[in-house]
Amino acid sequence: MATQRKGRRSFALIDPPVITAWANVAGKKESEGPLRGTFDVTSNDSYFGQKTWEQAERHMQELALEALINKAKIQKADIGLVLSGDLLNQCIGSSFTLRNTDIPHLGLYGACSTMAESLLLAAMTVGGGYFENAVAMTSSHFASSERQYRFPLGYGGQRTPTAQWTVTGAGAALVSEKGKGPRITACTVGTVTDLGIKDANNMGAAMAPAALSTIRAHFEDLKVNADDFDLIITGDLGQHGKDVLLTLAQREGLSLGGKIADCGCMVFDNLKQDVHAGGSGCGCSAITLCGELLNKLQRGKLKKILFCGTGALLSPTSSQQNLPISGVCHAVAITGG
Amino acid sequence: MATQRKGRRSFALIDPPVITAWANVAGKKESEGPLRGTFDVTSNDSYFGQKTWEQAERHMQELALEALINKAKIQKADIGLVLSGDLLNQCIGSSFTLRNTDIPHLGLYGACSTMAESLLLAAMTVGGGYFENAVAMTSSHFASSERQYRFPLGYGGQRTPTAQWTVTGAGAALVSEKGKGPRITACTVGTVTDLGIKDANNMGAAMAPAALSTIRAHFEDLKVNADDFDLIITGDLGQHGKDVLLTLAQREGLSLGGKIADCGCMVFDNLKQDVHAGGSGCGCSAITLCGELLNKLQRGKLKKILFCGTGALLSPTSSQQNLPISGVCHAVAITGG
């Protein structure tokens, strides 16, 4: 397969890798939301039958990988490489999932941009001929995230209007050299963009500048514009971050052509489900892409999307040290199968 | 550039990417050890002029990147991509280093295997023609690690004989399509290997089975053996982990030909510097590779090494939940320039 560098941050895949299968796992709240019916596995038990929420998150990745293998009609031993990461400290959701599976694994950390980062690296890996196929995977869990980043749930802290609700879910996509399915045609790697936001309850605002920077770079590097896409889908700015993105784009004169949608605004009914500004977490864009979006690309209901994974680069330690929150956004252009 | 898949876990680089420059930064204890004189930047201040140890770690990466740019005689804008990660929660050492630099960045998490993981991905990226060059970088800091993984330093907890001392340091390597320097000829991706070790103070034992698995896979996939290398260098098992590796190899009949060395056993004088089983942390193999080892490859004192980055996949949460510690090991074969 050939590739072609495009501009500073982008590359096109001349012989585009194919997303031959995808699978997702979602929690109770997610399976009651607007995307119900697009999930392969759901559970009403926030522990997914495990002893702790962290182990529940690991188990969701296991279930996503299992569902993916079944849908792709392959064996575990047929998987070339798994590229995955999550929000838990030291990415234990991902590493414990791969434990003793004998599947080659590279661990990633891209905060909530991880689904896009893993997909981009899977495209690179397969496009470069290093592995015949690669799985891009990630997860998040509301309860494990809350107690790690904010407060223990039992504390019952109030949430601000700009706060987002971490999605409980996992998604996995199989990227292959050959086969049928949506194809990855080009990618743009993110840069770490920081406009000085310090409010850990307003991560949408922290990520919006990175999203704008990456969308602009993709347009310029690939010589495309909003008209070339059915959807430019960020994941996940939430309602406030999406508003910031639209305002910034207008101010800077970048036409987004009314094509912006955000996974954080699709996964829940923000008002009825009381999630304030919308969904977040690695699992948010993962379950939206590895269900709703890829299904629609497969069925021809979408022809081409720009999937823009956005991540807020902070930790509880950096917040305690009064440091700002940087954002990053990686973009993957996907055309229908 | 062409690549060739080799076996389940490996690939060769037919037109091998070149490590055209490398740089490292080390703390006081490291600069008093056996590798003194191989560091580009050292400091007697554990804070590196910053307010906190986490920010000191970030600053070490900044200094390593700056030294790398100077040694390579390039500008920041000439860097295609930075692949980096660290041990801090949510990899804030790496993301804060790249903040507003306008350099494309992909975040990694491979625990102490991160130098090898980033080098392997840099080789993939450059070898596949996606970017003209890529920087592989990582760091660790004794004080930020201790308080995150074990106890606050002020607690004065006793250390066990199998404990390793996290290296305060950062290393960076520039991998390019063209130029002069040591070349990356082949890589083997790790699998997550877990024999059930639960002692967070004996990470060498947890990582040794992964090292063995990866060295064996590299030998089999590339049809090479210990005689093909001047050194097979693990980073970082420490003295106990190295002993476990040698014992396991002997038991399983894999000849390592007396070629095993370990970054954790090279970076400190274990007895005189009171570090118990040796050095550890992402920075350990990073400062050893991006100094001593690449210098020797450059000068012809080493002809070919297998650089095996080993990582212990745990978090304080997984230890508290009584989960075992998995290991992973990625291998990168490097020949002299």
Side-chain angles (χ1 to χ4, degrees), chain A residues 273-286:
Chain A
Q273 292 190 285
D274 192 28
V275 295
H276 299 211
S280 70
C282 301
C284 180
S285 60

Side-chain angles (χ1 to χ4, degrees), chain A residues 20-330:
Chain A
T20 50
W22 50 92
N24 58 11
V25 175
K28 181 171 182 284
K29 193 178 185 84
E30 292 69 21
S31 60
E32 291 166 352
L35 299 183
R36 62 185 166 276
T38 66
F39 303 126
D40 294 298
V41 183
T42 59
S43 173
N44 287 332
D45 171 16
S46 69
Y47 288 95
F48 279 75
Q50 306 295 307
K51 283 184 180 170
T52 67
W53 287 317
E54 288 75 17
Q55 290 177 54
E57 183 166 345
R58 183 257 306 151
H59 192 51
M60 286 194 298
Q61 281 203 33
E62 288 172 346
L63 291 170
L65 193 60
E66 192 180 298
L68 182 76
I69 285 169
N70 290 336
K71 289 173 88 175
K73 294 179 182 128
I74 59 172
Q75 307 291 319
K76 230 173 218 180
D78 298 325
I79 296 177
L81 174 68
V82 171
L83 292 147
S84 59
D86 55 76
L87 293 175
L88 294 175
N89 286 345
Q90 285 68 55
C91 297
I92 52 170
S94 301
S95 57
F96 276 86
T97 298
L98 275 302
R99 192 155 66 112
N100 292 338
T101 56
D102 203 35
I103 302 175
H105 171 56
L106 292 170
L108 309 179
Y109 183 76
C112 302
S113 75
T114 304
M115 192 66 225
E117 183 186 358
S118 60
L119 207 59
L120 179 154
L121 275 166
M124 271 193 183
T125 302
V126 170
Y130 299 103
F131 287 89
E132 203 174 317
N133 65 59
V135 171
M137 184 163 65
T138 187
S139 64
S140 59
H141 191 296
F142 172 71
S144 63
S145 261
E146 282 299 308
R147 72 172 167 188
Q148 180 178 288
Y149 283 94
R150 296 177 193 93
F151 299 107
L153 287 180
Y155 176 76
Q158 269 209 321
R159 297 163 57 78
T160 69
T162 53
Q164 292 170 247
W165 188 280
T166 304
V167 160
T168 298
L174 181 68
V175 179
S176 306
E177 272 184 346
K178 293 170 189 166
K180 286 186 180 173
R183 285 163 293 128
I184 298 174
T185 55
C187 300
T188 298
V189 178
T191 54
V192 181
T193 306
D194 187 345
L195 295 192
I197 299 283
K198 288 188 177 182
D199 179 359
N201 288 306
N202 190 1
M203 296 199 295
M207 295 185 283
L212 183 68
S213 157
T214 295
I215 294 168
R216 179 193 291 283
H218 190 84
F219 284 5
E220 290 177 358
D221 289 350
L222 277 301
K223 304 202 189 320
V224 295
N225 60 49
D227 296 339
D228 292 297
F229 300 96
D230 292 338
L231 273 184
I232 297 167
I233 181 132
T234 50
D236 31 56
L237 300 176
Q239 191 56 54
H240 286 273
K242 187 180 159 187
D243 292 345
V244 173
L245 171 63
L246 294 173
T247 304
L248 287 176
Q250 194 170 31
R251 192 184 296 168
E252 297 193 12
L254 183 73
S255 169
L256 298 174
K259 302 293 178 67
I260 292 286
D262 182 72
C263 298
C265 300
M266 293 169 70
V267 75
F268 295 121
D269 183 320
N270 292 4
L271 293 177
K272 281 189 193 158
Q273 292 190 285
D274 192 28
V275 295
H276 299 211
S280 70
C282 301
C284 180
S285 60
I287 65 171
T288 309
L289 179 76
C290 300
E292 173 77 358
L293 294 173
L294 286 168
N295 291 348
K296 283 193 169 168
L297 282 160
Q298 178 82 320
R299 291 180 197 139
K301 291 187 179 175
L302 287 172
K303 285 194 178 131
K304 185 166 184 178
I305 67 169
L306 189 63
F307 177 64
C308 305
T310 51
L313 303 169
L314 80 164
S315 81
T317 309
S318 69
S319 294
Q320 284 158 11
Q321 296 182 1
N322 198 30
L323 297 174
I325 301 167
S326 302
V328 73
C329 173
H330 307 293

Side-chain angles (χ1 to χ4, degrees), chain A residues 8, chain B residues 73-81 132-133 174:
Chain A
R8 173 92 199 270
Chain B
K73 295 182 181 123
I74 59 172
Q75 307 292 317
K76 230 174 217 178
D78 298 326
I79 295 176
L81 174 68
E132 202 173 318
N133 65 60
L174 181 69

Side-chain angles (χ1 to χ4, degrees), chain A residues 3-6 8-13 52-55 58 76-81 83 86-92 94-96 98-110 117 120-121 123-133 147-149 177 189-195 213 313-318 321 323-326 328 330, chain B residues 3-6 8-13 52-55 58 76-81 83 86-92 94-96 98-110 117 120-121 123-133 147-149 177 189-195 213 313-318 321 323-326 328 330:
Chain A
T3 61
Q4 209 177 326
R5 279 201 284 277
K6 298 279 183 186
R8 173 92 199 270
R9 292 166 53 182
S10 307
F11 55 87
L13 295 135
T52 67
W53 287 317
E54 288 75 17
Q55 290 177 54
R58 183 257 306 151
K76 230 173 218 180
D78 298 325
I79 296 177
L81 174 68
L83 292 147
D86 55 76
L87 293 175
L88 294 175
N89 286 345
Q90 285 68 55
C91 297
I92 52 170
S94 301
S95 57
F96 276 86
L98 275 302
R99 192 155 66 112
N100 292 338
T101 56
D102 203 35
I103 302 175
H105 171 56
L106 292 170
L108 309 179
Y109 183 76
E117 183 186 358
L120 179 154
L121 275 166
M124 271 193 183
T125 302
V126 170
Y130 299 103
F131 287 89
E132 203 174 317
N133 65 59
R147 72 172 167 188
Q148 180 178 288
Y149 283 94
E177 272 184 346
V189 178
T191 54
V192 181
T193 306
D194 187 345
L195 295 192
S213 157
L313 303 169
L314 80 164
S315 81
T317 309
S318 69
Q321 296 182 1
L323 297 174
I325 301 167
S326 302
V328 73
H330 307 293
Chain B
T3 62
Q4 210 178 326
R5 280 200 283 276
K6 298 280 184 185
R8 174 92 199 271
R9 292 166 54 181
S10 307
F11 55 88
L13 294 135
T52 67
W53 287 317
E54 288 76 17
Q55 291 179 53
R58 182 258 305 151
K76 230 174 217 178
D78 298 326
I79 295 176
L81 174 68
L83 293 147
D86 55 76
L87 294 175
L88 295 175
N89 286 346
Q90 284 70 52
C91 297
I92 51 169
S94 301
S95 57
F96 276 86
L98 274 303
R99 191 156 65 114
N100 292 338
T101 56
D102 203 36
I103 303 175
H105 171 55
L106 292 169
L108 310 179
Y109 185 75
E117 183 187 358
L120 179 153
L121 274 166
M124 273 193 182
T125 302
V126 170
Y130 300 103
F131 287 89
E132 202 173 318
N133 65 60
R147 71 171 169 189
Q148 179 178 290
Y149 283 94
E177 274 184 345
V189 178
T191 54
V192 181
T193 306
D194 188 344
L195 296 192
S213 157
L313 303 169
L314 80 163
S315 80
T317 309
S318 68
Q321 294 182 2
L323 297 174
I325 301 167
S326 302
V328 72
H330 306 294

Side-chain angles (χ1 to χ4, degrees), chain B residues 9-334:
Chain B
R9 292 166 54 181
S10 307
F11 55 88
L13 294 135
I14 305 300
D15 199 354
V18 190
I19 307 176
T20 50
W22 49 93
N24 58 10
V25 175
K28 181 170 182 284
K29 194 179 185 85
E30 292 70 21
S31 60
E32 292 166 351
L35 299 184
R36 63 186 165 275
T38 67
F39 304 125
D40 294 299
V41 183
T42 59
S43 173
N44 287 332
D45 170 17
S46 69
Y47 287 94
F48 278 76
Q50 306 296 306
K51 282 184 180 171
T52 67
W53 287 317
E54 288 76 17
Q55 291 179 53
E57 183 166 347
R58 182 258 305 151
H59 192 50
M60 285 194 298
Q61 281 203 31
E62 288 172 345
L63 291 171
L65 193 60
E66 191 180 298
L68 182 75
I69 286 170
N70 289 336
K71 288 172 90 175
K73 295 182 181 123
I74 59 172
Q75 307 292 317
K76 230 174 217 178
D78 298 326
I79 295 176
L81 174 68
V82 170
L83 293 147
S84 59
D86 55 76
L87 294 175
L88 295 175
N89 286 346
Q90 284 70 52
C91 297
I92 51 169
S94 301
S95 57
F96 276 86
T97 298
L98 274 303
R99 191 156 65 114
N100 292 338
T101 56
D102 203 36
I103 303 175
H105 171 55
L106 292 169
L108 310 179
Y109 185 75
C112 302
S113 75
T114 304
M115 192 66 225
E117 183 187 358
S118 60
L119 207 59
L120 179 153
L121 274 166
M124 273 193 182
T125 302
V126 170
Y130 300 103
F131 287 89
E132 202 173 318
N133 65 60
V135 171
M137 183 162 67
T138 187
S139 63
S140 58
H141 191 296
F142 172 70
S144 63
S145 261
E146 282 299 307
R147 71 171 169 189
Q148 179 178 290
Y149 283 94
R150 296 179 194 94
F151 299 106
L153 287 181
Y155 177 76
Q158 270 209 322
R159 297 164 57 79
T160 68
T162 54
Q164 292 171 247
W165 188 281
T166 303
V167 160
T168 298
L174 181 69
V175 179
S176 307
E177 274 184 345
K178 295 171 189 165
K180 286 186 179 172
R183 285 163 293 127
I184 298 174
T185 55
C187 300
T188 298
V189 178
T191 54
V192 181
T193 306
D194 188 344
L195 296 192
I197 299 282
K198 289 188 176 182
D199 180 0
N201 287 306
N202 191 0
M203 297 199 296
M207 295 186 282
L212 183 69
S213 157
T214 295
I215 294 168
R216 178 193 291 283
H218 191 84
F219 284 5
E220 290 176 359
D221 289 350
L222 277 301
K223 305 201 187 320
V224 293
N225 60 47
D227 296 339
D228 292 298
F229 300 96
D230 292 338
L231 272 185
I232 298 168
I233 182 131
T234 50
D236 30 58
L237 299 176
Q239 190 56 53
H240 287 273
K242 186 179 160 187
D243 292 345
V244 173
L245 171 62
L246 294 174
T247 304
L248 287 174
Q250 194 171 32
R251 191 184 297 168
E252 297 193 14
L254 183 74
S255 168
L256 297 173
K259 302 292 178 69
I260 292 286
D262 182 72
C263 297
C265 301
M266 291 169 71
V267 74
F268 295 121
D269 184 319
N270 291 4
L271 294 177
K272 281 190 193 159
Q273 292 189 285
D274 191 27
V275 295
H276 298 213
S280 70
C282 300
C284 180
S285 60
I287 64 170
T288 309
L289 178 76
C290 299
E292 173 78 358
L293 294 173
L294 286 169
N295 291 348
K296 282 192 170 167
L297 282 160
Q298 179 80 320
R299 292 181 197 136
K301 291 187 178 172
L302 286 172
K303 283 191 181 136
K304 185 166 184 178
I305 67 169
L306 188 63
F307 176 64
C308 304
T310 52
L313 303 169
L314 80 163
S315 80
T317 309
S318 68
S319 294
Q320 283 158 11
Q321 294 182 2
N322 199 29
L323 297 174
I325 301 167
S326 302
V328 72
C329 173
H330 306 294
V332 181
I334 311 174

